[in-house]
Amino acid sequence: MKRNKYKVENQYGILSIICFALIVLFSCDMIDPPYKEENYVPIESNQVVLIEEYTGFTCGNCPPAAEEAHRLKDRDSGNVIVLTVHAGTYAEPSEKHPYDFRTIVAAELNDFFKINKYPVGMVNRVVDPESGRQNFSRSNWEKYVNAELKKEARLGLRVGTQYNATTKRIDIEVNVEYFTKGTKDHFLAVYVVEDSIVQYQLDYRKTPSDIYNYVHNYVLRDEVNGTFGESLSNSDINTGERFTKNYSYVIAEDKDWRPRHIWILAYVHDKGNSYQILQSAQAFLYPKQ
Amino acid sequence: MEANKFRFFEGKIYLFVVLIIISSLGLEAQDFIESGRLSGNFQIESQYYFKDSLIGSEDVSEKIRSNSFLNLIYNSSNFEVGLRYEAYQPPLLGFDVEYQGSGVPYKYVTYRSELVDVTAGDFYEQFGSGMIFRSYEERNLGIDNAIGGFRFKFRPFAGFELTGLMGKQRSFWGKGAGIVRGGDLNLNVNELAEGLLPDEFQLNLGGSIASKYQADEESTYFLPENVLAYSFRFGLIGPSYSVDGEYAYKYNDPNLTNEFSYNPGIGLILNGSYFQKGLGISLNIHHIDNMDFRSDRNSVGNVLNLNFIPPLTKLHTYRLASIYPYGTQLNGEAGIQGEITYKIPKKTSLGGKYGTTVIVNYSTVYGLDTVRIDQFTYETEIFKFGDRQYFRDFNIEVSRRWTKKFKSIFTYLSLIYNKDILEAEGSAEFGKVHADAAIVDMTYRIVDDHAVRMELQHMWARQDSTIKKPDNINGNWAMFLLEYTIAPAFFLTVIDEYNYGNDSEERQVHYPTYSFAYIHNTTRFVLAYGRQRGGLLCIGGVCREVPASNAVTFTLSSSF
């Protein structure tokens, strides 16, 4: 196929150069120091965001993720709750490290949400609309936390606890008030969580990488009313509707848990919408000092 | 379920749009359908799993898992329309569970002429060696980072090709967060300026740019939303030698894999070779610094990579030789590789009746010598080797045909594999693995269409540190393979790998595999049963971790 070579050359040659120049000029941002943003303005919100971090004590890459979760919790104090779920290969105890963080509820969550990489986290279990993903690496969390905090809460949630040190019984009361309409797919789940557990952790950033006095926080210990909780209502929920749910949980004799570091997590999630979490709340057994 | 419905619906819309475009270009849809040619290929791979606690294979609740695909390509006139249907129900062990599902993730229409190619939809592309941009599919590793968008290739005159593209990368069943833009100019100097170079020389020059956009949606760092990389390359082939090279530069690209370093990325690859009858010598060097380039700064693993840099080491294919594979450390390494191939002439005392080929290969890779300035930046120089050796490989291969019916390949290799770098992010966990292997591969043709092949392999391996956590890889290995071929259709293979030197006695286990393959024209059927050892599987220097399994595998593939 013959064509007028030279005319084509001139027209398209210039066009090519313009295209290149445009892309080069407009496709690069150079950042000068300082690289770190210092002036964070907290987002005012009535929404509490739950970060579920999937981890394991033999996961050498996991401590930075735990630090990021902790940073976000501190940053928006009171509006972010962290739950650490120990599951999968990296949570398996060994002869050398026999302490077992694993629980049935953690394994069920891990399997249900198809977690097979560690560390990853879910932020209110939101699903990224473009990738369809529900769990993300740590540097993604802040983006989703910010987005969730900007949302208007659909319901209010409050947890109250009473602990009997003699019987090791925890009485839990959860109050729910709907600010918008809800559905019968809204489930309330209640978990037992413990902070400040000093145990082994592998940390690839450290030399040596074996950390024997690592402080494990926000560790999921057990469920109170099932892995995914129970339905709040058998029918659709009206705006202004309130629910009060009472539970009791007895800490088993063989558990080494320390009540002063235990807290109760309650969250409402929408089973009809990828189990996304609508609201969360927490309450310690003893007032925090 | 909903997602699958949507994908199917999306596919129908796509076909409709394609037909409208074709009609609007003056080509009757009827002609398009009648004058075209349909081609494609498919593969079904299914595995039935058995629990095997001895090798640490997990209990698979579904028992059967399967990866399947069908490619359809329709060509008519200047148009090509294609799609790929994929189904992972659920994905085979070792593949990311994010693949679970089925649908049509890959679909495109291309218009081709002498002057221009235009593709709308999904496509793969590579600029130069791939140092700043390579979009590709490696099915066995579960990698597919196709670009979904628009691409043109423009050839206004011979020897000049300009490529431009824009789109988003595939990430399992969705798209990544970043927008990718790129351009590449490839110049064939021989065609551009006829007579400039003598006929026996061929010179190619090129330059590329690739950039990505991703919004900064966090409050920790001031992040560049647009990150640009560029590269220049050349390639000269002469009558008895060739030299080629590529230099790449990437502007500040703080991301999760480089721990949010604001350093620029620099890559330099230089290759040279000399060849004459019976002799070939090659030398390759490369310097890679902060060149992990992804369309999503938060992605890790083999996900949403924008570039690909092949390892500067020999890619071993024998089973034991590939237990300790190397993959380029994109955050920083410098290495050198040399190889000499010599064919000892036939009918000499050393070369024998048919000649003997000897290949000697050596490569070594080190970390870069860096000086940290602050938390975000460091200094280094090109080809400034650090103290830490990442990998070293010395190997020699001798191939010889002894008689008309019998030939053999002998391989010896000696590796140093820095397990801390390659498997523990550089943490002092394991130290280095020192492995030596001897391999004999013999083929005997019994009659014209019957042949038997045998491999005997042995690897001696020791690790610097004590084994802290038991694994199914460490220690010495022996391997035996026997393959009987009735050409061209039947293949029977028995393999046994034996980790007899494992530090833990109970893990000193056999990994047998029995397989039967039938090939008829383009159709291949394989039935196999065996234990698959866990570990790293690398193809072309890209690796993924494969869990151990005990399974019956069924594979059917064909093309048409």
Side-chain angles (χ1 to χ4, degrees), chain B residues 246-475:
Chain B
E246 184 163 2
Y247 171 80
Y249 186 90
K250 177 170 67 103
Y251 288 91
N252 53 189
D253 178 25
N255 60 62
L256 191 55
T257 57
N258 69 8
E259 292 292 335
F260 290 88
S261 165
Y262 282 71
N263 259 52
I266 291 173
L268 179 62
I269 295 176
L270 293 169
N271 303 307
S273 61
Y274 169 80
F275 40 85
Q276 58 168 263
K277 196 180 176 192
L279 176 69
I281 300 170
S282 67
L283 187 68
N284 321 94
I285 52 175
H286 83 197
H287 165 98
I288 305 299
D289 175 20
N290 196 15
M291 283 302 290
D292 195 311
F293 193 24
R294 296 165 192 256
S295 61
D296 180 349
R297 67 173 79 86
N298 301 310
S299 65
V300 291
N302 294 327
V303 179
L304 295 169
N305 296 75
L306 271 176
N307 63 343
F308 171 77
I309 301 174
L312 195 70
T313 57
K314 188 164 184 167
L315 298 170
H316 295 289
T317 50
Y318 287 111
R319 287 172 84 110
L320 295 191
S322 59
I323 282 182
Y324 295 108
Y326 188 70
T328 305
Q329 299 304 294
L330 295 170
N331 281 336
E333 67 167 46
I336 185 163
Q337 175 178 230
E339 185 168 286
I340 298 172
T341 305
Y342 180 65
K343 184 167 184 187
I344 304 169
K346 56 187 176 184
K347 293 175 185 165
T348 61
S349 55
L350 272 177
K353 189 177 176 186
Y354 298 91
T356 300
T357 302
V358 181
I359 302 170
V360 181
N361 173 280
Y362 177 83
S363 60
T364 184
V365 183
Y366 279 79
L368 298 176
D369 187 4
T370 57
V371 178
R372 186 149 285 283
I373 299 169
D374 55 37
Q375 186 194 340
F376 301 104
T377 52
Y378 58 87
E379 276 180 349
T380 188
E381 289 170 27
I382 287 186
F383 291 123
K384 196 170 183 190
F385 285 56
D387 298 332
R388 232 170 160 183
Q389 188 175 39
Y390 288 180
F391 194 78
R392 192 220 65 195
D393 181 8
F394 168 74
N395 58 81
I396 182 163
E397 183 183 300
V398 181
S399 314
R400 181 166 179 150
R401 176 176 287 283
W402 298 86
T403 68
K404 267 189 174 178
K405 292 189 167 187
F406 181 64
K407 63 178 179 183
S408 68
I409 302 169
F410 171 77
T411 305
Y412 166 77
L413 59 99
S414 172
L415 300 176
I416 295 175
Y417 174 89
N418 193 326
K419 199 168 176 175
D420 289 341
I421 294 293
L422 297 159
E423 296 183 27
E425 309 284 326
S427 171
E429 274 295 288
F430 311 103
K432 288 173 183 163
V433 175
H434 302 258
D436 298 272
I439 298 160
V440 183
D441 178 349
M442 296 168 286
T443 305
Y444 181 73
R445 191 154 49 82
I446 302 163
V447 287
D448 275 353
D449 50 359
H450 284 240
V452 62
R453 189 169 80 84
M454 184 163 74
E455 280 179 26
L456 296 171
Q457 304 186 22
H458 188 272
M459 188 168 75
W460 299 263
R462 64 189 165 79
Q463 195 168 304
D464 278 349
S465 66
T466 53
I467 310 290
K468 285 186 193 171
K469 194 177 175 185
D471 64 60
N472 286 64
I473 293 290
N474 73 79

Side-chain angles (χ1 to χ4, degrees), chain A residues 130-131, chain B residues 105 121-125 132-136 143-149 165-181 211-213 293-297 299 302-308:
Chain A
E130 206 146 14
S131 66
Chain B
D122 303 293
F123 54 85
Y124 301 106
E125 183 60 69
I132 64 164
F133 183 76
R134 186 190 186 207
S135 160
Y136 68 109
I143 295 173
D144 186 351
N145 55 17
I147 300 285
L165 59 87
M166 189 174 275
K168 284 194 159 196
Q169 278 187 298
R170 178 183 178 186
S171 174
F172 304 105
W173 290 107
K175 298 286 184 199
I179 300 168
V180 182
R181 296 76 59 101
S211 98
K212 63 161 179 181
Y213 168 81
F293 193 24
R294 296 165 192 256
S295 61
D296 180 349
R297 67 173 79 86
S299 65
N302 294 327
V303 179
L304 295 169
N305 296 75
L306 271 176
N307 63 343
F308 171 77

Side-chain angles (χ1 to χ4, degrees), chain A residues 1-3 5 8-9 11-13 15-17 19-20 23-24 26-32 34-38 40 58 61 64 68 71 75 89-90 92 94 96 114-117 128 130-135 137-140 142-144 146 200 202-210, chain B residues 95-98 100 113-115 154-157 160 162 168 171-177 181-185 207 209 211-212 214 216-228 251-252 256 259-260 262 296-300 374-377 423-425 427-430 468-469:
Chain A
M1 198 167 75
K2 288 274 179 191
R3 59 172 184 263
K5 245 188 194 176
V8 171
E9 272 176 30
Q11 285 170 5
Y12 290 106
L15 190 68
S16 313
I17 291 161
C19 284
F20 260 114
I23 294 172
V24 172
F26 296 109
S27 59
C28 188
D29 302 331
M30 289 295 294
I31 306 292
D32 293 320
Y35 302 118
K36 210 160 184 174
E37 296 187 38
E38 301 291 347
Y40 173 71
T58 62
N61 288 316
E68 173 65 0
R71 183 186 73 81
R75 192 196 68 160
T89 320
Y90 297 111
E92 285 171 9
S94 63
K96 202 173 171 195
K114 297 186 170 58
I115 308 292
N116 68 343
K117 289 188 280 276
D128 182 82
E130 206 146 14
S131 66
R133 291 182 71 98
Q134 200 166 19
N135 63 76
S137 56
R138 68 177 197 269
S139 50
N140 272 299
E142 185 171 352
K143 173 174 84 176
Y144 295 106
N146 292 350
Y200 170 81
L202 187 67
D203 186 345
Y204 284 154
R205 300 168 305 171
K206 304 281 168 62
T207 307
S209 51
D210 294 310
Chain B
F95 286 80
D96 202 310
V97 290
E98 298 275 345
Q100 176 146 2
S113 72
E114 195 181 346
L115 178 68
F154 173 56
R155 295 173 290 267
F157 39 86
F160 178 105
L162 179 73
K168 284 194 159 196
S171 174
F172 304 105
W173 290 107
K175 298 286 184 199
R181 296 76 59 101
D184 178 73
L185 180 64
I209 51 173
S211 98
K212 63 161 179 181
Q214 184 182 9
D216 174 8
E217 293 171 290
E218 51 82 77
S219 63
T220 316
Y221 307 109
F222 294 105
L223 295 171
E225 295 190 324
N226 292 284
V227 176
L228 176 77
Y251 288 91
N252 53 189
L256 191 55
E259 292 292 335
F260 290 88
Y262 282 71
D296 180 349
R297 67 173 79 86
N298 301 310
S299 65
V300 291
D374 55 37
Q375 186 194 340
F376 301 104
T377 52
E423 296 183 27
E425 309 284 326
S427 171
E429 274 295 288
F430 311 103
K468 285 186 193 171
K469 194 177 175 185

